[in-house]
Amino acid sequence: NAGVTQTPKFRVLKTGQSMTLLCAQDMNHEYMYWYRQDPGMGLRLIHYSVGEGTTAKGEVPDGYNVSRLKKQNFLLGLESAAPSQTSVYFCASSHGQGSSYEQYFGPGTRLTVT
Amino acid sequence: AQSVTQLDSHVSVSEGTPVLLRCNYSSSYSPSLFWYVQHPNKGLQLLLKYTSAATLVKGINGFEAEFKKSETSFHLTKPSAHMSDAAEYFCVVSDRDGGYNKLIFGAGTRLAVHP
């Protein structure tokens, strides 16, 4: 049981390049989330998904797209990377959606955009 | 909207001494509150959560937190710090956004533990 895994762990992009971050969970969770973590700001929600084939915008969705084609995977895409997207990205998943359901986090992806 | 404020960005303690990490929240109704810990280059791990049951919540690794409605606080404590407690700690409140319970994170408190 690997929990939540993220690929890649590190990436450096040039401005304007595109990339996709992959999140996978093996806990059969319905809900999945993408956050970004910036110094002094805690984590902010980018997009989330309440089930296979569904996605929704979070607090800071601009510049990102997501897809949930399979229940276990949640992809985060950057179509045209900008330096402001330099951050650490965390994926999380949860079994349910209420406050009693713990979110399980992946180890993070450190992205630098030059 | 809910919000959470962590009153200290850095806390430094000696091994074996008590730990106090302070958190205040604002809420228009009875909130659900959490503490998460993040060790260097790791993901976040849930330490404990309050969901309107007992006001004193015990978590993993000897940590506990007390919900005080009158003070709108949810401070994290541990009687005796261990070197392995050095990490970043996040106070989190659950907010209702339409039909979705989203997590609102504080800015984090970095705990350093010295020998």
Side-chain angles (χ1 to χ4, degrees):
Chain A
N1 189 336
V4 180
T5 58
Q6 293 182 231
T7 309
K9 289 185 168 52
F10 303 94
R11 185 71 186 269
V12 178
L13 288 179
K14 294 187 187 302
T15 297
Q17 287 184 319
S18 64
M19 77 163 295
T20 300
L21 281 65
L22 171 63
C23 175
Q25 53 94 4
D26 61 3
M27 296 174 282
N28 201 34
H29 285 169
E30 288 292 334
Y31 299 86
M32 297 188 74
Y33 317 84
W34 275 107
Y35 294 90
R36 60 177 289 172
Q37 182 182 30
D38 300 297
M41 299 187 73
L43 274 71
R44 292 179 293 168
L45 183 66
I46 304 171
H47 286 281
Y48 64 97
S49 169
V50 301
E52 182 178 325
T54 69
T55 63
K57 293 180 180 180
E59 184 184 359
V60 289
D62 294 342
Y64 305 94
N65 57 77
V66 289
S67 63
R68 184 98 180 268
L69 299 179
K70 293 183 179 181
K71 185 177 183 179
Q72 64 267 34
N73 294 338
F74 194 30
L75 279 63
L76 178 71
L78 287 72
E79 290 186 348
S80 180
S84 61
Q85 294 178 304
T86 293
S87 188
V88 182
Y89 292 86
F90 287 97
C91 177
S93 70
S94 64
H95 180 66
Q97 208 279 297
S99 58
S100 60
Y101 292 98
E102 177 182 352
Q103 290 190 19
Y104 294 81
F105 285 82
T109 295
R110 187 172 295 275
L111 174 66
T112 302
V113 183
T114 61
Chain B
Q2 314 272 44
S3 66
V4 62
T5 302
Q6 292 184 243
L7 300 172
D8 307 291
S9 59
H10 292 84
V11 170
S12 181
V13 301
S14 298
E15 190 175 22
T17 64
V19 175
L20 170 64
L21 305 183
R22 300 182 295 165
C23 173
N24 286 351
Y25 68 91
S26 69
S27 171
S28 55
Y29 53 88
S30 183
S32 293
L33 293 157
F34 310 80
W35 276 99
Y36 278 83
V37 61
Q38 183 182 25
H39 288 94
N41 300 315
K42 301 283 188 184
L44 281 74
Q45 180 185 19
L46 181 66
L47 271 181
L48 49 82
K49 63 182 178 183
Y50 166 77
T51 55
S52 74
T55 56
L56 183 62
V57 183
K58 293 189 185 299
I60 61 172
N61 300 334
F63 284 94
E64 61 181 37
E66 186 171 8
F67 173 72
K68 291 187 176 181
K69 187 175 181 179
S70 61
E71 299 176 9
T72 60
S73 69
F74 190 56
H75 301 335
L76 182 70
T77 61
K78 183 174 181 178
S80 176
H82 191 272
M83 296 296 290
S84 61
D85 294 328
E88 186 143 23
Y89 293 79
F90 293 95
C91 183
V92 182
V93 63
S94 178
D95 188 18
R96 195 80 183 167
D97 183 357
Y100 168 67
N101 280 316
K102 67 179 182 181
L103 300 183
I104 308 296
F105 285 78
T109 298
R110 186 169 297 278
L111 175 66
V113 183
H114 302 288

